[in-house]
């Protein structure tokens, strides 16, 4: 609340007392009786926030991994790169990250970057600034579920010509994550993999995109 003009909290059918803990605070609480998953609720909230006239929306995961003190850096970066989708980059302190997660991020950067046709430094970071120009409606309804939406947002945003920019952040783990992640390593990774693969196949594998994702220069 110290760093944003407005704060919206999406309560996706939680049973942990979230709503009661927020009583009296100057924020907007969007409550849902039933859990629909991160992707659908994030898409719904983005639709509503951007339609309300916001010039940008910064998203943070609810588990405490992201430091709100990084918000001013995102706002500053947005002024330097107006209209860009600003992605958090957790390269700082990656040696402290769980090894399995670090490997998954490295693979995702290449694979998702391939589909986006550009090199990505942290394709799976949930701390982002979505600009007013983000074509959220371009993401098909079937991809607005679970953890697939954030990947689909990058792919379809890139296809719509949206520029990407990054902000270095330090992810917080020990002592900050107050609940386990709902990410299912096998099932959710498989869904993301299938979504990216489907896109690549529909673009005949877009081999130029693979080269760009690896940081190789392309000449026409």
């Amino acid at each position: 609340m110290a760093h944003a003009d407005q704060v919206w909290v999406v309560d996706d059918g939680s049973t942990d007392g979230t709503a009661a803990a927020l009583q009296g605070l100057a924020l907007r609480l969007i409550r849902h009786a039933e859990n629909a998953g991160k992707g659908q609720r994030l898409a719904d909230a983005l639709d509503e926030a951007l339609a309300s006239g916001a010039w940008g929306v910064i998203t943070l995961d609810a588990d405490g991994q992201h430091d709100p003190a990084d918000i001013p850096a995102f706002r500053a970066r947005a002024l330097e790169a107006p209209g860009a989708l600003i992605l958090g980059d957790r390269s700082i302190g990656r040696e402290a990250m769980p090894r399995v997660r670090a490997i998954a991020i490295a693979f995702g950067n290449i694979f998702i970057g391939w589909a986006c046709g550009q090199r990505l430094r942290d394709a799976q970071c949930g701390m982002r600034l979505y600009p007013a120009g983000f074509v959220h409606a371009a993401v098909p309804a079937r991809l607005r579920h679970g953890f697939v939406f954030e990947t689909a947002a990058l792919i379809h945003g890139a296809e719509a010509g949206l520029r990407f920019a990054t902000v270095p952040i330090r992810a917080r783990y020990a002592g900050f994550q107050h609940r386990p992640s709902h990410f299912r390593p096998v099932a959710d990774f498989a869904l993301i993999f299938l979504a990216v693969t489907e896109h690549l196949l529909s673009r005949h594998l877009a081999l130029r995109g693979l080269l760009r994702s690896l940081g190789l220069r392309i000449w026409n």
Side-chain angles (χ1 to χ4, degrees):
M1 293 179 67
H3 302 297
D5 301 322
Q6 297 182 53
V7 175
W8 292 19
V9 176
V10 181
D11 181 347
D12 189 19
S14 69
T15 58
D16 61 0
T18 291
L22 299 175
Q23 289 296 319
L25 295 179
L27 53 76
R28 179 171 181 180
L29 176 63
I30 304 174
R31 298 191 66 185
H32 298 282
E34 297 183 3
N35 180 279
K38 181 179 183 180
Q40 185 60 56
R41 296 310 187 202
L42 182 56
D44 291 345
L46 281 171
D47 286 350
E48 190 172 344
L50 294 173
S52 73
W55 65 265
V57 178
I58 299 178
T59 60
L60 294 86
D61 291 349
D63 61 3
Q65 178 190 145
H66 303 135
D67 188 351
D70 286 324
I71 290 175
F74 280 79
R75 296 177 66 134
R77 189 73 179 96
L79 293 176
E80 296 171 351
L85 196 164
I86 315 296
L87 304 175
D89 174 13
R90 296 168 291 179
S91 297
I92 300 175
R94 189 162 289 181
E95 65 279 356
M97 183 180 292
R99 182 171 176 78
V100 173
R101 181 171 297 189
I103 293 173
I105 288 174
F107 174 77
N109 289 343
I110 296 174
F111 193 48
I112 299 171
W114 180 3
C116 292
Q118 57 188 287
R119 191 173 191 180
L120 299 177
R121 295 184 61 85
D122 195 343
Q124 300 170 71
C125 183
M127 190 170 188
R128 302 175 173 181
L129 188 152
Y130 292 88
F134 172 59
V135 189
H136 42 288
V139 180
R142 61 188 177 80
L143 296 179
R144 291 181 168 222
H145 62 83
F147 292 87
V148 176
F149 174 77
E150 289 172 305
T151 295
L154 295 182
I155 294 173
H156 290 276
E159 192 155 76
L162 195 66
R163 294 181 300 135
F164 297 163
T166 60
V167 168
I169 64 173
R170 188 182 297 275
R172 308 183 301 181
Y173 295 102
F176 289 97
Q177 291 184 287
H178 301 298
R179 64 166 176 77
S181 171
H182 291 293
F183 184 83
R184 301 166 300 173
V186 176
D188 287 318
F189 176 80
L191 290 172
I192 292 172
F193 183 86
L194 288 173
V196 176
T197 300
E198 179 185 11
H199 180 83
L200 288 172
L201 290 175
S202 72
R203 301 299 184 274
H204 306 290
L205 294 182
L207 293 180
R208 282 177 173 267
L210 174 59
L211 296 178
R212 291 191 183 101
S213 75
L214 294 171
L216 301 177
R217 188 172 180 180
I218 306 296
W219 286 273
N220 292 324

